[in-house]
Amino acid sequence: NNVPAVMKTDIREREDGYLLDIELPGFKKEEIKMELEDGYLTIAAARTASNEERSEQGKLVRQERFSCTRTYFIGEEMNVEDIKARYENGELKVFVPKKDPQAMQTKKTISIE
Protein backbone atom coordinates (compact mmCIF):
# COMPACT_ATOMS: atom_id res chain seq x y z
CA ASN A 1 0.00 0.00 0.00
CA ASN A 2 1.72 3.14 -1.22
CA VAL A 3 0.02 6.02 0.55
CA PRO A 4 1.91 9.31 0.54
CA ALA A 5 2.76 10.83 3.92
CA VAL A 6 2.51 14.27 2.34
CA MET A 7 0.07 15.34 -0.34
CA LYS A 8 2.17 16.32 -3.34
CA THR A 9 0.68 19.51 -4.72
CA ASP A 10 1.13 21.57 -7.87
CA ILE A 11 -0.35 25.07 -7.78
CA ARG A 12 -0.98 26.82 -11.08
CA GLU A 13 -2.01 30.44 -11.42
CA ARG A 14 -4.64 31.19 -14.02
CA GLU A 15 -6.14 34.50 -15.01
CA ASP A 16 -9.29 33.83 -12.97
CA GLY A 17 -7.79 31.95 -10.02
CA TYR A 18 -5.56 29.15 -8.80
CA LEU A 19 -5.70 25.44 -9.59
CA LEU A 20 -4.35 23.01 -7.00
CA ASP A 21 -3.51 19.51 -8.25
CA ILE A 22 -3.15 17.30 -5.18
CA GLU A 23 -1.98 13.68 -5.49
CA LEU A 24 -4.07 11.27 -3.40
CA PRO A 25 -3.58 7.84 -4.99
CA GLY A 26 -5.39 4.90 -3.46
CA PHE A 27 -8.16 6.93 -1.82
CA LYS A 28 -11.84 6.93 -2.66
CA LYS A 29 -13.72 10.20 -3.01
CA GLU A 30 -15.70 9.39 0.17
CA GLU A 31 -12.45 9.16 2.17
CA ILE A 32 -11.47 12.77 1.42
CA LYS A 33 -12.80 15.73 3.40
CA MET A 34 -12.33 19.44 2.72
CA GLU A 35 -13.02 22.22 5.21
CA LEU A 36 -12.65 25.99 5.05
CA GLU A 37 -12.10 27.97 8.24
CA ASP A 38 -10.65 31.46 8.75
CA GLY A 39 -9.11 31.52 5.27
CA TYR A 40 -7.47 28.10 5.62
CA LEU A 41 -8.48 25.21 3.37
CA THR A 42 -7.79 21.87 5.07
CA ILE A 43 -7.81 18.64 3.10
CA ALA A 44 -7.78 15.35 4.99
CA ALA A 45 -7.73 11.83 3.56
CA ALA A 46 -8.03 8.67 5.67
CA ARG A 47 -8.64 4.99 5.03
CA THR A 48 -8.20 1.57 6.58
CA ALA A 49 -6.09 -0.97 4.71
CA SER A 50 -8.13 -3.84 3.33
CA ASN A 51 -5.47 -6.49 3.90
CA GLU A 52 -5.90 -7.49 7.51
CA GLU A 53 -4.16 -10.40 9.18
CA ARG A 54 -5.88 -12.82 11.55
CA SER A 55 -4.45 -15.40 13.90
CA GLU A 56 -5.47 -19.07 13.74
CA GLN A 57 -8.20 -18.29 16.28
CA GLY A 58 -9.57 -15.58 13.96
CA LYS A 59 -8.47 -12.68 16.14
CA LEU A 60 -7.34 -9.53 14.37
CA VAL A 61 -3.56 -9.30 14.62
CA ARG A 62 -2.88 -6.33 12.32
CA GLN A 63 -4.99 -3.66 10.69
CA GLU A 64 -3.44 -0.54 9.20
CA ARG A 65 -4.87 2.94 8.81
CA PHE A 66 -3.50 5.62 6.56
CA SER A 67 -4.22 9.30 6.86
CA CYS A 68 -2.74 12.56 5.71
CA THR A 69 -3.78 16.17 6.17
CA ARG A 70 -2.60 19.38 4.60
CA THR A 71 -3.67 22.98 5.06
CA TYR A 72 -3.43 25.80 2.51
CA PHE A 73 -4.03 29.49 3.21
CA ILE A 74 -6.36 30.80 0.48
CA GLY A 75 -7.60 34.06 1.99
CA GLU A 76 -10.16 35.11 4.55
CA GLU A 77 -12.49 36.53 1.90
CA MET A 78 -13.16 33.06 0.43
CA ASN A 79 -16.48 31.32 0.91
CA VAL A 80 -17.19 27.60 0.62
CA GLU A 81 -19.35 28.31 -2.46
CA ASP A 82 -16.35 29.90 -4.24
CA ILE A 83 -14.26 26.71 -4.20
CA LYS A 84 -14.75 23.95 -6.77
CA ALA A 85 -13.28 20.47 -6.33
CA ARG A 86 -13.16 17.29 -8.42
CA TYR A 87 -11.48 13.94 -7.69
CA GLU A 88 -10.52 11.44 -10.38
CA ASN A 89 -7.71 9.00 -11.09
CA GLY A 90 -6.07 9.59 -7.69
CA GLU A 91 -5.87 13.35 -8.12
CA LEU A 92 -7.88 16.03 -6.35
CA LYS A 93 -8.29 19.19 -8.41
CA VAL A 94 -9.30 22.27 -6.45
CA PHE A 95 -10.08 25.62 -8.06
CA VAL A 96 -9.85 28.77 -5.93
CA PRO A 97 -10.96 31.94 -7.74
CA LYS A 98 -9.13 35.24 -7.47
CA LYS A 99 -11.17 37.78 -5.60
CA ASP A 100 -11.55 41.31 -6.93
CA PRO A 101 -9.10 43.42 -4.85
CA GLN A 102 -11.62 46.28 -4.88
CA ALA A 103 -14.32 44.04 -3.41
CA MET A 104 -11.92 42.78 -0.77
CA GLN A 105 -11.07 46.35 0.22
CA THR A 106 -14.75 47.30 0.43
CA LYS A 107 -15.55 44.28 2.55
CA LYS A 108 -13.02 45.23 5.21
CA THR A 109 -13.82 48.95 5.29
CA ILE A 110 -16.07 50.24 8.04
CA SER A 111 -17.85 53.50 7.32
CA ILE A 112 -18.00 56.02 10.14
CA GLU A 113 -21.13 58.16 10.45
Side-chain angles (χ1 to χ4, degrees):
N1 290 327
N2 294 334
V3 176
V6 178
M7 299 177 193
K8 294 179 184 174
T9 306
D10 292 330
I11 301 174
R12 293 180 178 81
E13 183 176 7
R14 298 188 340 191
E15 201 170 302
D16 56 345
Y18 299 91
L19 184 63
L20 287 72
D21 288 324
I22 304 161
E23 292 183 15
L24 287 167
F27 288 97
K28 296 177 187 164
K29 185 172 78 169
E30 302 78 35
E31 298 169 327
I32 303 168
K33 290 188 173 42
M34 293 177 53
E35 293 181 348
L36 177 63
E37 186 175 359
D38 298 328
Y40 288 91
L41 177 67
T42 300
I43 299 170
R47 73 178 171 99
T48 302
S50 58
N51 61 342
E52 53 186 48
E53 294 178 11
R54 295 195 177 267
S55 66
E56 289 179 19
Q57 293 82 21
K59 294 181 181 175
L60 187 63
V61 177
R62 185 187 86 168
Q63 185 177 35
E64 295 184 359
R65 290 168 185 80
F66 299 99
S67 65
C68 49
T69 304
R70 190 151 178 199
T71 301
Y72 308 84
F73 182 73
I74 61 171
E76 293 178 10
E77 70 282 352
M78 272 319 142
N79 296 313
V80 174
E81 302 81 34
D82 298 328
I83 300 163
K84 306 292 180 227
R86 183 171 44 108
Y87 181 70
E88 62 184 14
N89 300 324
E91 192 169 64
L92 179 65
K93 293 183 181 294
V94 180
F95 177 73
V96 179
K98 288 182 183 176
K99 287 287 190 170
D100 178 13
Q102 201 68 26
M104 288 169 27
Q105 181 94 26
T106 307
K107 235 182 212 182
K108 296 184 180 187
T109 302
I110 299 169
S111 61
I112 301 170
E113 293 184 30

